[in-house]
Amino acid sequence: MNPFSSGTRLRDMIRSIRACKTAAEERAVVRKECADIRASINENDPHDRHRNLAKLMFIHMLGYPTHFGQMECLKLIASPGFPEKRIGYLGLMLLLDERQEVLMLVTNSLKQDLNHTNQYVVGLALCALGNICSAEMARDLAPEVERLIQFRDPNIRKKAALCSTRIVRKVPDLAENFVNAAASLLKEKHHGVLITGVQLCYELCTINDEALEYFRKKCTEGLIKTLRDITNSAYQPEYDVAGITDPFLHIRLLRLLRVIGHGDADASDLMTDILAQVATKTESNKNAGNAVLYECVETIMAIEDTSSLRVLAINILGRFLSNRDNNIRYVALNMLMKAIAFDDQAVQRHRVTILECVKDPDASIRKRALELVSLLVNENNVKQLTKELIDYLEISDEDFKEDLSAKICFIVEKFSPEKIWYIDQMLKVLSEAGKFVKDDVWHALIVVISNASELHGYTVRALYKAVIYSEQETLVRVAIWCIGEYGDLLVNNVGMLGNEDPMTVTECDAVDVIEDAITRHSSDMTTKAMALIALLKLSSRFPSISERIKDIIVKQKGSLLLEMQQRAIEFNSIVDRHKNIRSSLVERMPVLDEATFNVRRAGSFPASASTMAKPSVSLPNGVEKPAAPPLVDLLDMDSDDIMSAPSSSGADFLQDLLGVVDLGSSSAQSGATQAPKAGTDLLLDILSIGTPSPAQNSTSSIDLLSTADVNKNPSNVLDAISSPAPPHIATTASAGMFDLLDGLSPSPSKEATNGPAYPPIVAYESSSLKIEFSFSKAPGKPQTTNVQATFINLSPNIFTDFIFQAAVPKFLQLHLDPASGNTLPASGNITQSLRVNNSQHGKKSLVMRMRVGYKLNGKDVLEEGQINNFPRGL
Amino acid sequence: MGIRFILMVNKQGQTRLAQYYEWLTLEERRALEGEIVRKCLARNDQQCSFVEHRNYKIVYRRYASLFFMVGVDDDENELAILEFIHLLVETMDKHFGNVCELDIMFHLEKAHFMLEEMVMNGCIVETSKANILSPIQLMDKAH
């Protein structure tokens, strides 16, 4: 009984599934069927197996789990009849994969079937093996397959050949066993054997250089002859496609010639004639012919230089590109990308056509063309190409804008001849497609603007004009940043360039833009936070309307975002009560360091931070040693985290104070933290109350900032001012200042005022080693703590090659001086000084991870620990 | 390896045949099929037959109500794959006589047997329709 002809149940199931109107109905039917199949499997009736499996394959195709049928496949494969085996193997290929252990059970059946007397059974086994075999099965069964490549029936030979491609890919060591057999297949006449043999050779060439060399020597001429024979062969109805005999075989042969000719001038020379013949004689009015031409062009471009052939190839591509068929144009664009490598000029000639393709209604063609255009750009044509692309950006599909704007930004950044042009183009992109622009791109724009001091006025005016017409988020962000920084240049028309039209912008207009941004519902938190900072800055730049600005800031006290609320309160207090420090507090941002930004953007670690990062992370006891890898694992942080550490504490500090909070975009920081050291001292200057030189200043700021804490201990303050080196008072004062500005954070200054010195701690202790830390602070530098580390050997043995490493979170910076020695005698000690800079001083306590390495009796010992018991307030 | 999967999908987007030459989990396959079908079905006749999706290139061709979609490696000859789809359809036509969606649904295993004779491990085995169909016809005669 054939379950397919009379197996109504399978047909019934398919019908009932077809009849389902909704996905839920379909699920119900499938669930019921699966239950029936399970029950039937449990009954273990061999007559139902065939049908069950057929059903399961259908259910599997629909995307439902069918693992419970896997064992049925194995049972069917093991049964003697051909129909059972056939469906069993099909199920095996569809329902199982090489990762499942069940598959191991089938190895034995496969082995038997590969040796079966019925060649159709052998064919089934080869096919299954070729589709799903694992490395282990490949090893076990390779000898059988090797033997079958020489089988008398060509239908088995071709399957064995393809089965071998899988085997050698799974176990490349086996490749050499197949080289001779593969070479013999190339002499065959049967197309199926030939095409599979060629594919096997191709596979062997790609995984094994010796095989490649062998085929190059022994088979090149034979392959050329075979290709010539089919190219010139008489009409063969069975293989003819649109006048070409077996285009599939053509293509595979050309592909194998490609790997053979690549990197070998002699072999390339041999195939010149036949390639020229294929390139000139192949009919190009049908798809099959074009497929062959396409492959031929690719081969010509990959083999060693034969310039006359390349001209031919480029001409074919030119013809393809002007073809009306979109498929042909698509592959032409694809190939031109490869052609650029050796003949840029020839491709440049098609620039206009390619640009047209960027505007094609077909997304696939657009995408290819865009890739190609970005390769075509150079210094000479960048302006023209960019103009074309930006013009198109205005009218392009919404879903293409992301790709398009990314490419334009890339081109503009890479080839921009001058800054003003770069800024102009970026503004256009931001206005048109700002929401698609990635963070690093607009950050880079800000860095460039910051560096182009002569263009500040021009830029802020251009941005002002642009932002009035466009609400694109990133444009708004750049605009408010610039207005905040350079608002005065905007209203006073400072730094007019020759070709600019004068415009009148009042202070109110400028603030309007920012108020719009901060009140707009679609603005996200980053934009709002930036707007708030811009307002703070403008409050000082535009004193005449500072009341209005204050009102806007005060409104943000009711913001639902905690960060905004807090900043609004802080900024309000600055605007309100500290007018005398405000102007210096909100001075223009120092010029951002372009080089550092670019390196960090590129994501390469050491070069960027070479000077700052290394000391801040780890220095073994004066021993030169690459610090990064141990540090990374010491800190358990990914390198990204570490990368954001290298900035002077001032920058972090500034950033924190001004509330440039890291709002999830890791690079949001970079703009601010880029400030080079000199510039960022700005704030330190303002806040460095304890700086010895301007004593007057420090007194007044303490007065000014008179916090409850300080007031409670007036004598202390007086003491401090009179004492020559008042390390603790500096802390007090600045902590107090933080209190004020922070408003909300708990005050850590109590402890600081209580004890003039910090008690030493035992940082680490094990059975053999003890580490003690004692602390001191330099006057005027409350953020910096000097730590004297003493390492004491508790064991009776001598430690040699002693090395201490430490790592700190990114708000801290660590500098290690060389240790007093690297040998630690029994009960002896070594000292080493460390300097820790706490950018969150007053908010966060010190914390450190450390690792100690030494040799004990010639063996390496490693001890690690975390130090959490630092005195508070350091 | 060339061909990574072959899908036949009707114009409602329902899968009618799926053959993968690399392992994907059930969830991945469902997601992939859904995404590809959505992309391809949204395209019109004038647009080219190639769609790039994830790290695949999809070559598709529509025959009446049925879409044939083949996912290939990036360096595969797209035009040749189009020709392969046509060969597949001609082969099925020869066997079923003007093949339609229902033929494939109700003879899923036969459609798979034909594919097995044409593609193995993502490579083309045979390009002659007579050679492809002979083992299948032999089986039919036996019953």
Side-chain angles (χ1 to χ4, degrees):
Chain A
M1 181 191 81
N2 181 354
F4 295 113
S5 50
S6 59
T8 44
R9 292 283 322 277
L10 173 64
R11 285 187 161 258
D12 287 346
M13 183 192 85
I14 295 173
R15 280 208 188 92
S16 54
I17 287 176
R18 269 195 82 207
C20 292
K21 295 264 182 304
T22 64
E25 276 179 48
E26 184 185 291
R27 276 197 294 276
V29 172
V30 169
R31 207 179 304 127
K32 188 177 157 297
E33 283 292 340
C34 284
D36 287 349
I37 295 170
R38 275 202 174 93
S40 164
I41 288 175
N42 286 339
E43 284 167 19
N44 212 4
D45 180 354
H47 295 297
D48 288 340
R49 270 191 199 130
H50 198 153
R51 187 202 292 162
N52 285 341
L53 198 54
K55 280 191 201 169
L56 277 177
M57 285 182 333
F58 194 89
I59 292 171
H60 179 78
M61 178 200 69
L62 294 172
Y64 295 93
T66 49
H67 48 272
F68 54 87
Q70 289 171 353
M71 286 312 287
E72 293 300 287
C73 296
L74 304 196
K75 287 179 192 160
L76 282 165
I77 289 171
S79 59
F82 181 75
E84 285 75 25
K85 273 188 191 293
R86 185 161 75 158
I87 193 123
Y89 275 119
L90 181 58
L92 184 77
M93 285 183 273
L94 291 174
L95 309 185
L96 272 82
D97 78 292
E98 57 177 280
R99 279 171 250 187
Q100 278 156 344
E101 285 176 12
V102 186
L103 202 58
M104 288 307 297
L105 302 174
V106 89
T107 312
N108 207 31
S109 303
L110 273 170
K111 191 162 192 154
Q112 279 172 6
D113 287 347
L114 287 175
N115 293 308
H116 205 279
T117 47
N118 180 340
Q119 68 168 52
Y120 291 100
V121 173
V122 178
L124 287 179
L126 277 175
C127 192
L129 189 64
N131 277 332
I132 58 161
C133 86
S134 62
E136 275 170 79
M137 292 167 77
R139 272 209 186 81
D140 288 347
L141 300 173
E144 266 77 17
V145 177
E146 227 180 296
R147 182 175 54 76
L148 289 170
I149 292 184
Q150 271 126 38
F151 198 79
R152 59 189 145 68
D153 187 304
N155 289 317
I156 297 299
R157 288 206 295 275
K158 69 185 184 194
K159 287 183 181 172
L162 275 191
C163 190
S164 313
T165 60
R166 184 167 179 110
I167 290 176
V168 295
R169 198 178 303 153
K170 288 285 166 197
V171 191
D173 301 349
L174 292 173
E176 54 190 69
N177 300 356
F178 288 93
V179 172
N180 285 321
S184 69
L185 292 176
L186 297 180
K187 301 192 185 85
E188 300 252 1
K189 290 278 176 272
H190 186 282
H191 280 226
V193 181
L194 208 45
I195 197 171
T196 53
V198 169
Q199 287 174 107
L200 174 57
C201 291
Y202 182 82
E203 192 68 38
L204 289 168
C205 286
T206 51
I207 55 175
N208 189 317
D209 287 341
E210 284 166 26
L212 172 61
E213 211 41 57
Y214 179 85
F215 291 125
R216 209 175 252 162
K217 281 221 180 69
K218 305 266 175 176
C219 304
T220 311
E221 290 181 28
L223 282 168
I224 291 169
K225 182 173 178 301
T226 313
L227 182 56
R228 184 169 292 131
D229 287 348
I230 29 167
T231 313
N232 300 331
S233 86
Y235 176 71
Q236 294 186 34
E238 196 45 47
Y239 292 103
D240 186 83
V241 181
I244 294 174
T245 308
D246 206 342
F248 302 102
L249 183 54
H250 264 98
I251 286 165
R252 292 294 141 184
L253 282 167
L254 285 167
R255 186 159 289 212
L256 181 56
L257 286 176
R258 180 148 83 230
V259 285
I260 287 178
H262 182 72
D264 189 292
D266 293 340
S268 301
D269 224 35
L270 279 176
M271 58 187 81
T272 315
D273 285 348
I274 184 65
L275 291 178
Q277 192 196 334
V278 173
T280 46
K281 296 268 172 64
T282 309
E283 284 288 329
S284 64
N285 51 2
K286 287 276 167 49
N287 181 58
N290 284 325
V292 172
L293 277 176
Y294 175 38
E295 197 71 33
C296 186
V297 168
E298 197 157 349
T299 298
I300 289 173
M301 292 200 301
I303 64 172
E304 293 315 299
D305 188 25
T306 41
S307 37
S308 58
L309 271 185
R310 291 204 169 158
V311 174
L312 206 56
I314 292 280
N315 287 342
I316 293 175
L317 290 182
R319 250 176 23 229
F320 273 21
L321 195 61
S322 52
N323 200 304
R324 293 232 304 284
D325 184 342
N326 275 336
N327 289 342
I328 308 292
R329 285 202 295 155
Y330 176 91
V331 296
L333 291 168
N334 223 354
M335 285 308 301
L336 284 170
M337 277 176 75
K338 294 181 186 164
I340 281 185
F342 66 82
D343 196 350
D344 183 59
Q345 281 310 310
V347 184
Q348 291 282 1
R349 276 204 296 278
H350 299 293
R351 206 167 61 210
V352 179
T353 322
I354 295 166
L355 261 176
E356 282 310 305
C357 292
V358 174
K359 303 169 189 172
D360 200 273
D362 184 340
S364 298
I365 289 192
R366 278 199 310 250
K367 196 169 171 205
R368 278 288 126 224
L370 188 59
E371 295 283 332
L372 185 53
V373 166
S374 68
L375 293 178
L376 279 179
V377 177
N378 57 32
E379 285 79 4
N380 303 323
N381 59 22
V382 60
K383 285 198 173 177
Q384 186 209 342
L385 282 175
T386 309
K387 182 173 179 312
E388 290 270 355
L389 293 178
I390 289 182
D391 286 350
Y392 181 60
L393 185 62
E394 290 170 23
I395 51 166
S396 70
D397 285 355
E398 207 55 9
D399 47 358
F400 188 51
K401 279 188 176 168
E402 181 168 0
D403 284 346
L404 187 56
S405 58
K407 274 284 180 287
I408 297 176
C409 293
F410 169 78
I411 293 169
V412 169
E413 282 178 18
K414 192 166 171 204
F415 294 101
S416 136
E418 65 228 0
K419 276 185 176 168
I420 183 166
W421 183 82
Y422 165 80
I423 292 172
D424 281 344
Q425 308 311 313
M426 288 304 294
L427 291 199
K428 286 186 199 159
V429 175
L430 289 182
S431 313
E432 282 307 324
K435 64 179 165 185
F436 300 112
V437 172
K438 299 270 184 302
D439 279 351
D440 62 327
V441 172
W442 66 267
H443 291 166
L445 175 61
I446 287 187
V447 173
V448 171
I449 294 174
S450 155
N451 278 282
S453 51
E454 69 290 350
L455 296 175
H456 284 168
Y458 169 78
T459 309
V460 70
R461 284 188 292 276
L463 275 164
Y464 176 80
K465 275 184 258 175
V467 83
I468 289 183
Y469 297 107
S470 171
E471 289 188 4
Q472 298 279 349
E473 185 111 32
T474 48
L475 177 74
V476 172
R477 285 185 196 167
V478 178
I480 54 186
W481 188 86
C482 286
I483 292 175
E485 292 298 322
Y486 314 120
D488 41 341
L489 308 182
L490 172 65
V491 295
N492 300 328
N493 274 334
V494 175
M496 289 286 282
L497 299 184
N499 53 356
E500 256 186 281
D501 296 326
M503 56 190 270
T504 331
V505 183
T506 64
E507 296 176 342
C508 273
D509 294 338
V511 174
D512 282 346
V513 168
I514 299 186
E515 189 177 12
D516 279 353
I518 206 167
T519 49
R520 191 178 298 144
H521 289 294
S522 58
S523 297
D524 76 357
M525 178 152 159
T526 308
T527 310
K528 288 186 173 175
M530 290 180 72
L532 202 57
I533 293 165
L535 285 170
L536 177 66
K537 295 213 162 192
L538 288 183
S539 73
S540 151
R541 312 245 197 288
F542 302 156
S544 62
I545 55 162
S546 74
E547 275 308 304
R548 179 178 164 213
I549 294 174
K550 197 188 121 195
D551 288 344
I552 305 174
I553 293 178
V554 168
K555 275 191 202 131
Q556 291 303 315
K557 279 187 185 174
S559 168
L560 290 177
L561 304 167
L562 184 62
E563 190 65 37
M564 292 289 287
Q565 238 182 61
Q566 184 179 339
R567 297 304 167 198
I569 291 168
E570 289 162 4
F571 291 176
N572 183 37
S573 100
I574 293 173
V575 175
D576 232 11
R577 284 187 274 158
H578 307 297
K579 289 207 172 69
N580 44 354
I581 62 161
R582 190 177 65 195
S583 63
S584 45
L585 189 65
V586 302
E587 259 179 20
R588 205 161 280 167
M589 281 284 277
V591 172
L592 303 166
D593 185 10
E594 235 170 335
T596 324
F597 176 78
N598 288 338
V599 175
R600 280 180 66 185
R601 191 178 172 197
S604 56
F605 168 55
S608 71
S610 53
T611 49
M612 299 194 283
K614 277 188 186 152
S616 81
V617 278
S618 156
L619 260 194
N621 310 6
V623 182
E624 277 305 318
K625 200 179 166 187
L631 216 233
V632 172
D633 81 22
L634 201 64
L635 273 179
D636 287 335
M637 285 200 253
D638 58 21
S639 53
D640 243 13
D641 277 349
I642 297 187
M643 282 177 48
S644 32
S647 53
S648 71
S649 71
D652 271 355
F653 181 62
L654 176 85
Q655 185 182 355
D656 258 25
L657 187 79
L658 291 185
V660 183
V661 275
D662 187 354
L663 300 172
S665 54
S666 64
S667 40
Q669 281 194 341
S670 45
T673 44
Q674 279 324 302
K677 276 183 175 169
T680 47
D681 284 345
L682 162 88
L683 256 191
L684 283 181
D685 277 346
I686 307 168
L687 297 176
S688 60
I689 294 116
T691 323
S693 44
Q696 189 59 38
N697 213 344
S698 90
T699 335
S700 73
S701 15
I702 292 172
D703 270 350
L704 170 90
L705 299 168
S706 56
T707 61
D709 272 342
V710 182
N711 278 345
K712 269 185 216 154
N713 289 317
S715 59
N716 224 344
V717 176
L718 286 177
D719 272 354
I721 293 166
S722 56
S723 77
H728 61 285
I729 197 63
T731 336
T732 316
S734 78
M737 167 99 156
F738 267 100
D739 258 8
L740 173 91
L741 286 178
D742 256 311
L744 302 168
S745 73
S747 153
S749 56
K750 279 269 168 61
E751 289 92 332
T753 42
N754 286 347
Y758 297 95
I761 59 166
V762 175
Y764 176 82
E765 187 160 23
S766 70
S767 57
S768 52
L769 180 74
K770 181 170 162 183
I771 304 176
E772 289 177 350
F773 280 0
S774 58
F775 307 95
S776 61
K777 278 196 187 278
K781 289 188 184 161
Q783 294 90 357
T784 307
T785 308
N786 295 319
V787 181
Q788 182 79 9
T790 310
F791 309 99
I792 304 159
N793 185 349
L794 303 178
S795 76
N797 303 309
I798 185 165
F799 297 167
T800 56
D801 296 334
F802 186 89
I803 192 168
F804 170 76
Q805 291 170 294
V808 289
K810 61 181 175 184
F811 68 92
L812 298 175
Q813 284 181 288
L814 177 66
H815 177 86
L816 278 91
D817 289 333
S820 61
N822 65 355
T823 308
L824 203 50
S827 340
N829 65 57
I830 299 180
T831 57
Q832 181 168 18
S833 19
L834 292 68
R835 202 161 60 240
V836 186
N837 209 349
N838 184 353
S839 65
Q840 305 258 30
H841 177 71
K843 287 190 203 160
K844 292 190 181 170
S845 305
L846 298 191
V847 59
M848 192 181 285
R849 280 221 191 164
M850 55 126 255
R851 178 197 273 180
V852 170
Y854 52 85
K855 277 203 166 81
L856 176 59
N857 299 329
K859 267 195 244 161
D860 284 321
V861 182
L862 205 61
E863 297 190 53
E864 291 180 354
Q866 180 153 359
I867 308 169
N868 297 322
N869 56 339
F870 284 100
R872 297 194 61 185
L874 277 179
Chain B
M1 110 164 124
I3 298 172
R4 319 249 302 252
F5 59 79
I6 297 173
L7 293 177
M8 298 180 198
V9 177
N10 68 9
K11 64 174 191 263
Q12 286 81 40
Q14 293 164 311
T15 309
R16 288 307 175 218
L17 181 146
Q19 170 73 56
Y20 288 80
Y21 295 98
E22 64 182 351
W23 178 251
L24 295 175
T25 67
L26 214 56
E27 292 74 30
E28 286 167 341
R29 292 173 42 165
R30 288 193 90 150
L32 183 71
E33 285 171 26
E35 292 161 6
I36 292 173
V37 166
R38 228 171 297 130
K39 261 194 181 171
C40 292
L41 265 56
R43 295 168 63 84
N44 64 33
D45 291 348
Q46 283 83 51
Q47 291 175 327
C48 69
S49 309
F50 317 124
V51 174
E52 287 162 49
H53 184 72
R54 302 204 204 168
N55 49 347
Y56 300 107
K57 196 169 270 176
I58 319 293
V59 180
Y60 72 95
R61 198 157 173 175
R62 181 178 169 168
Y63 289 84
S65 67
L66 209 54
F67 284 82
F68 289 72
M69 302 169 177
V70 180
V72 295
D73 288 336
D74 201 39
D75 63 349
E76 194 55 52
N77 185 325
E78 298 91 344
L79 300 177
I81 297 294
L82 270 184
E83 212 49 63
F84 166 78
I85 294 178
H86 192 67
L87 176 68
L88 174 62
V89 174
E90 281 183 341
T91 309
M92 289 182 157
D93 268 350
K94 195 168 172 186
H95 183 77
F96 292 114
N98 209 1
V99 66
C100 70
E101 187 185 337
L102 291 185
D103 289 327
I104 296 170
M105 270 186 102
F106 285 104
H107 301 97
L108 186 61
E109 78 294 341
K110 241 177 229 155
H112 272 293
F113 293 144
M114 280 176 224
L115 262 185
E116 245 173 48
E117 293 294 327
M118 296 181 73
V119 185
M120 207 172 124
N121 194 25
C123 302
I124 294 176
V125 190
E126 181 59 70
T127 53
S128 145
K129 293 185 271 289
N131 283 352
I132 295 167
L133 291 175
S134 74
I136 293 151
Q137 282 157 352
L138 210 64
M139 268 312 290
D140 285 352
K141 265 186 224 148
H143 287 277

